[in-house]
Amino acid sequence: MADTSSRLWYFLLPDTGTHEFKVEDLCSNERLCYIDGNLVDCPSGTTCFTGPGASLLELRQTKDKRWHLLVNGLRVEDYNPGKHLKGDENSMRELRSMPEGSYTIAPKFTAESGGLKVVRRFRFILSDIFHEIGVAHKDWVWHFLYDDVVVDRLSHTMWEDRCTRSFTIPTADGGKLPVEVRMEWNEGKRLWYYALAVNHIPVPTYWNMAHGYDSTAIPPEIADGVPDSPSGAAMPAEEDEQDAHCPVDQESLPQGVSYDAALKIYQANIMVKGRFLFLGEFTTAEEAHERWQEEHAKLGT
């Protein structure tokens, strides 16, 4: 998978701590580069820079068209979105294959670091600041992002139709708030549904992959402490009502395609070993079916 037009790396240096290196127009010779938020001089085609503490930063592209950042000759670790080794299934890192001292530590990862495609975003207000939690799903692994940084993951088997993951997010005063995410597969509709709560307060979906932002979704204000009437993450109650007025004839959809009436998007799924594998969400049935055809050709089914 080739990299997108921009990337953000976080890296750790022994003497100066955590730093970030951001590149815009990555695949162009006229790229823009920022170190710790500051634009740096970047003549056409430049791939080497002087970093914090006189470190050497180098951009390098591999044969698979992916870009990597090297710090003092050592590659900054990337996030591995796939299945990890037994015992590390839900660990943020899998470094057993990387010898000690052969890489630069990344204190946190972005979605781009692992090639993740977020399928849902939930927005809320905390201490008068907007924040969001994103959910990505790839190869039987759920990935959870807080303000575009991967904070947790959950590996699941093809037989698990209902998954719940709980983790915490930091507050401005150094505290932590609980987050609960629920993912449910509806076999009859062949759709994944999502729900999220922050500090026991339900947070609505305000962005999805197919249609982008929902201007009608109102971000709730989250307060510290347990609310008077905690409820948690509940699946949308209007699903059946939406289906009753569904403008799409589910029986007429092409193979591998389902329609989510609540969000007005198409999901592509393919049968693997008797279970459906999620392939993505799209604005049209044709796009979803093309994605199904692509994966069908790979599997040779």
Side-chain angles (χ1 to χ4, degrees):
M1 180 199 69
D3 277 315
T4 55
S5 61
S6 65
R7 278 291 306 272
L8 173 62
W9 286 272
Y10 294 94
F11 60 94
L12 184 65
L13 290 174
D15 297 327
T16 56
T18 298
H19 301 277
E20 64 178 60
F21 183 70
K22 181 180 180 180
V23 185
E24 297 177 356
D25 294 326
L26 179 60
C27 299
S28 166
N29 283 332
E30 308 304 321
R31 58 181 69 93
L32 298 176
C33 301
Y34 304 80
I35 298 177
D36 294 335
N38 300 309
L39 181 65
V40 298
D41 186 31
C42 186
S44 180
T46 300
T47 57
C48 293
F49 310 85
T50 299
S55 59
L56 174 63
L57 309 183
E58 179 186 357
L59 287 170
R60 185 179 298 176
Q61 190 176 35
T62 51
K63 292 181 179 180
D64 59 1
K65 302 300 182 182
R66 294 199 63 182
W67 286 90
H68 298 278
L69 175 66
L70 282 71
V71 178
N72 294 328
L74 299 179
R75 199 180 88 184
V76 176
E77 58 175 321
D78 283 322
Y79 178 62
N80 178 8
K83 289 281 190 177
H84 288 184
L85 297 175
K86 187 175 182 180
D88 286 336
E89 293 92 343
N90 296 323
S91 171
M92 294 293 294
R93 288 175 167 79
E94 186 185 42
L95 300 173
R96 297 181 184 182
S97 60
M98 300 179 71
E100 190 70 28
S102 67
Y103 59 91
T104 298
I105 294 175
K108 47 189 175 180
F109 303 103
T110 62
E112 292 84 0
S113 174
L116 298 178
K117 292 184 178 180
V118 176
V119 296
R120 293 289 186 281
R121 295 184 188 274
F122 302 83
R123 199 177 198 189
F124 56 93
I125 302 171
L126 180 61
S127 299
D128 298 323
I129 299 175
F130 284 103
H131 296 275
E132 69 176 46
I133 290 176
V135 180
H137 192 203
K138 183 176 182 179
D139 299 334
W140 311 110
V141 182
W142 298 103
H143 309 269
F144 309 102
L145 301 93
Y146 179 51
D147 292 340
D148 288 324
V149 173
V150 183
V151 294
D152 202 8
R153 55 180 278 147
L154 176 64
S155 178
H156 69 101
T157 69
M158 67 175 64
W159 310 109
E160 293 177 286
D161 291 340
R162 297 186 177 186
C163 300
T164 300
R165 188 63 169 176
S166 298
F167 53 93
T168 61
I169 56 174
T171 61
D173 60 3
K176 294 181 178 181
L177 290 180
V179 176
E180 180 187 56
V181 189
R182 291 180 56 198
M183 298 75 62
E184 292 187 6
W185 169 257
N186 187 306
E187 182 68 28
K189 301 171 186 175
R190 297 183 180 177
L191 293 170
W192 278 106
Y193 290 108
Y194 306 81
L196 178 137
V198 177
N199 200 24
H200 310 284
I201 301 297
V203 180
T205 299
Y206 94 108
W207 181 95
N208 65 66
M209 182 183 290
H211 294 300
Y213 297 96
D214 179 1
S215 60
T216 65
I218 301 176
E221 188 162 357
I222 308 298
D224 292 341
V226 180
D228 294 333
S229 302
S231 55
M235 288 296 163
E238 66 272 13
E239 286 172 13
D240 292 335
E241 179 181 346
Q242 290 280 355
D243 288 344
H245 301 87
C246 180
V248 175
D249 180 7
Q250 300 280 5
E251 299 299 324
S252 67
L253 292 174
Q255 188 171 1
V257 179
S258 304
Y259 183 71
D260 186 336
L263 295 176
K264 299 180 176 60
I265 56 178
Y266 295 88
Q267 287 190 13
N269 300 278
I270 193 167
M271 184 77 75
V272 178
K273 297 181 180 179
R275 303 295 287 181
F276 283 98
L277 173 64
F278 175 75
L279 299 177
E281 295 179 328
F282 307 87
T283 56
T284 68
E286 291 74 20
E287 290 174 326
H289 186 55
E290 286 178 8
R291 178 66 185 92
W292 177 88
Q293 290 179 311
E294 177 185 332
E295 196 67 23
H296 182 267
K298 290 180 182 178
L299 296 174
T301 55

